[in-house]
Each structure stands twice: as C-alpha cells, then as structure tokens.
Amino acid sequence: MQSTVRAAAADEMPILDLSALNDGSDIAPIAAQLRHACLTTGFFYVANHGIPEPVIDEVFATTKRYFDLPIEQRLPHRMDEKYRRGFMPQGINQHPGFAPDRKESYEIGVDLPESDPDVAAGLPLHGPNRWPADCPWLRSASEAYFEQAQELGKRLLKICAVSLAMPEDHFLQFCTKPMVQMRLFHYPPQEPVSDDKAFGVAPHTDYGMITLLLQDPIGGLELMMRNGEWVSAPYVPGTLVINIGDLFQRWTNDIYVSNPHRVINRTGKERYSIPMFFNLDYNSLVTCLPSCQSATNPPKHQPIKSGDYLLSRFRDVQKYKVQAA
C-alpha cells in the first residue's frame, strides 16, 4: 500500500462552478467538464452549489454532538432491518477481502409515513426515519441539510443528462419518489494502516446513481487512477465532492467510470463526513441510453430495476440482523 498519496490534479478532479445552473444560464460548458471527469475518474468538486453555509455548519456540529454521546446511549437507536434507518455501530460494513470498516454512522432517507402505499406494500428501502426522542436536535439539523442536498442532487442530474446528449430532464422523470439515503459518518482515530485489510472504508465503488459528499477539513478520501495509483481528494472549502456510481455507469454502457475509492483517516484525529447517495425511483428500469450505444457498441448490461440492483449490493457488504427497537 502507498504510505503517502499525492493530491489529485485539477484535470483529475476538476472544480465545477454551478453558477450557470443556479441562474438559468447555459449549462453546456459545465456538462462538458462533468463529461471529462466521468470519462476518467468519475469524481469532481462542485462550487457555488447553493447549500447555505449555516446549514452545513449546523449539520456538522450536530453530527459531532451525536457521536460524542456514549455508545450505550446510541445503541438503542440502532438501525432497523425493515427500513434501514438509524445508528450503525462500527464493524457492520465489511467489503469482501477486507477487515470491517472502521466507522460508525447514522442513516436517514426520504421520510415516508407507514400509510404511504409503497411503505404499506413493503417496498424495500421505503419508510419512516428514526428520530431518537433523547436527541431532538438531531432531526432538525439533519432534515435541513437533507432537503438542500436532495435538491442539489436533482439539479446535478440535469447536467448529467446534458453531458450524455440527452434531454435535460431525462433522469428527472425517474425521480417521483427517489431513493435517497444520507449517512452521518464518524471515523474514530485509527492506528496507522499496515496492510491492505483495515480502512475507514475499504476500496469499493458506489452502487447507485450519484453521491454528494460533504467532508470536513481532515480529508481522508482517496481514489484510484486508471494506472492503479491512489490519489487524495483533499478538502476544498466551499465545495462538495461528487462521484458517480455503478448504476450510472450501466446507463452509459460503461462509457462513464464508477471509480474505486477508499477512506483512510491518517491524521489521528476524529473525522466526520456526510454522504448523500442519490438514487432514482425503485422501479426505474436502468437501460443503456440511446446516446451510449451503436451497431458497433451494443448494450453490455441487461436492464435491471434500480432498487433491485441496490438491494443485491447491500447484501454483499452489510452483515447485521437487528430488530426495530
């Protein structure tokens, strides 16, 4: 393993200024930048993203406050298997071939009442959030950021579509009830990594459409170049890190790259990050886009429902059997 890594160069992880997206200007230049990033590393930063700084500051402060609570207080908040909402202790996630991830998290999603038709029908990944009665402050800060980040995710899908020569609203038609999951992550300080088995998050690709990552100044995110070299995605003030997932790669017939990445907390300090995994409706049929196929480049993947694919991937890495508390 590389003991040190260099920072990603500007052409490897460009910073996309979203001002044109926010004011209604031509987004073709941004889409061209996004396309370049997705053809190479699948990662980029976004600036002028529209999420107010006080909302970001508050959700980070709340995340730290939550994980500062004694573990004995947080264990009753543990994730329920039915809706996948709540606290996940360290060691739940384990990627094949690696030690369990050295992180803990609190997960929320689109908050749907039990009376919602999809929830009542038992559609996986749909349901109400779990809000601990002894931490009322957790809900207010999390929901405020969740709402802002979800709207940013929808705006980014417009650029994604244009980058692939598709109508701006192509992916938005599959967002009537998107499967959006957000996790508050805490990475405790860990001893120096001495082998390839122990990470904050082991090397992996994301499973879904796009990921919006809010990271703190500690950093720790690293991505793999095509030549196998690992580089860091350092903290850039005022930005979020965006990357595409495996389902988006399938839409593009493997033209865009869902890139392996990992997290190593090399600092000896507490690290916090907040990823939002923005996925389309459960029953969205992921099929090769017309602009990504030809007579000489036919579709490489069979169509699959977005939710079915996500569920199959979750089962590969999450080893828990808990009941709702």
Side-chain angles (χ1 to χ4, degrees):
M1 178 190 297
Q2 296 169 237
S3 58
T4 60
V5 297
R6 65 174 176 85
D11 63 335
E12 293 168 330
M13 269 195 75
I15 300 176
L16 276 59
D17 185 336
L18 300 186
S19 298
L21 179 65
N22 299 330
D23 64 19
S25 302
D26 181 16
I27 63 174
I30 310 174
Q33 284 184 289
L34 182 145
R35 182 177 179 85
H36 170 75
C38 291
L39 288 171
T40 54
T41 63
F43 277 78
F44 53 93
Y45 296 95
V46 292
N48 294 315
H49 46 68
I51 302 178
E53 197 65 31
V55 173
I56 291 174
D57 292 343
E58 184 62 24
V59 75
F60 263 135
T62 297
T63 298
K64 183 179 186 303
R65 182 179 178 183
Y66 181 75
F67 288 110
D68 280 347
L69 295 174
I71 185 65
E72 294 79 13
Q73 183 176 346
R74 290 182 284 124
L75 280 175
H77 311 155
R78 65 192 182 274
M79 177 181 284
D80 65 274
E81 189 177 357
K82 185 175 183 180
Y83 298 132
R84 289 184 46 83
R85 311 295 208 271
F87 172 60
M88 290 181 67
Q90 187 171 321
I92 296 298
N93 274 56
Q94 183 173 3
H95 293 84
F98 294 92
D101 289 347
R102 298 185 177 185
K103 69 178 188 305
E104 52 183 352
S105 65
Y106 197 95
E107 182 162 334
I108 68 173
V110 176
D111 201 5
L112 300 172
E114 292 187 341
S115 59
D116 179 273
D118 287 326
V119 178
L123 188 65
L125 308 177
H126 291 63
N129 286 324
R130 300 191 66 200
W131 299 116
D134 54 348
C135 309
W137 35 267
L138 180 64
R139 178 173 187 170
S140 57
S142 298
E143 286 186 334
Y145 178 76
F146 187 97
E147 179 181 355
Q148 293 280 341
Q150 182 176 231
E151 288 306 309
L152 173 59
K154 291 179 180 178
R155 296 198 301 274
L156 287 171
L157 288 182
K158 296 181 181 181
I159 308 175
C160 291
V162 172
S163 78
L164 292 161
M166 297 298 293
E168 189 176 288
D169 63 352
H170 179 77
F171 294 118
L172 292 178
Q173 67 181 304
F174 306 113
C175 287
T176 58
K177 194 180 291 183
M179 295 182 298
V180 181
Q181 299 162 294
M182 186 176 89
R183 295 174 187 159
L184 311 178
F185 275 157
H186 171 226
Y187 296 85
Q190 66 179 82
E191 66 274 13
V193 178
S194 58
D195 56 33
D196 290 339
K197 303 300 181 184
F199 295 85
V201 177
H204 67 287
T205 57
D206 285 351
Y207 310 147
M209 196 67 182
I210 58 174
T211 302
L212 295 73
L213 175 67
L214 189 62
Q215 62 173 343
D216 70 6
I218 295 297
L221 173 65
E222 299 176 354
L223 53 145
M224 191 175 73
M225 298 291 97
R226 294 288 188 92
N227 64 2
E229 179 190 13
W230 288 94
V231 302
S232 70
Y235 171 75
V236 177
T239 69
L240 274 71
V241 177
I242 312 297
N243 67 279
I244 65 171
D246 299 338
L247 279 179
F248 197 3
Q249 180 170 325
R250 291 174 71 108
W251 280 104
T252 70
N253 211 24
D254 296 347
I255 293 174
Y256 282 4
V257 178
S258 173
N259 213 45
H261 52 284
R262 66 190 186 189
V263 173
I264 302 178
N265 187 358
R266 301 176 186 270
T267 65
K269 302 177 181 178
E270 309 285 339
R271 178 185 188 267
Y272 304 92
S273 70
I274 304 173
M276 171 174 279
F277 304 96
F278 193 104
N279 298 304
L280 306 178
D281 298 347
Y282 189 102
N283 290 316
S284 301
L285 196 62
V286 180
T287 60
C288 179
L289 296 171
S291 60
C292 297
Q293 58 180 291
S294 66
T296 57
N297 185 31
K300 298 179 175 66
H301 305 284
Q302 290 296 317
I304 189 170
K305 288 183 179 179
S306 178
D308 290 347
Y309 181 84
L310 292 173
L311 277 182
S312 70
R313 297 296 299 276
F314 288 145
R315 295 189 185 106
D316 290 339
V317 300
Q318 292 184 349
K319 306 180 189 311
Y320 67 91
K321 281 288 183 179
V322 298
Q323 301 300 318

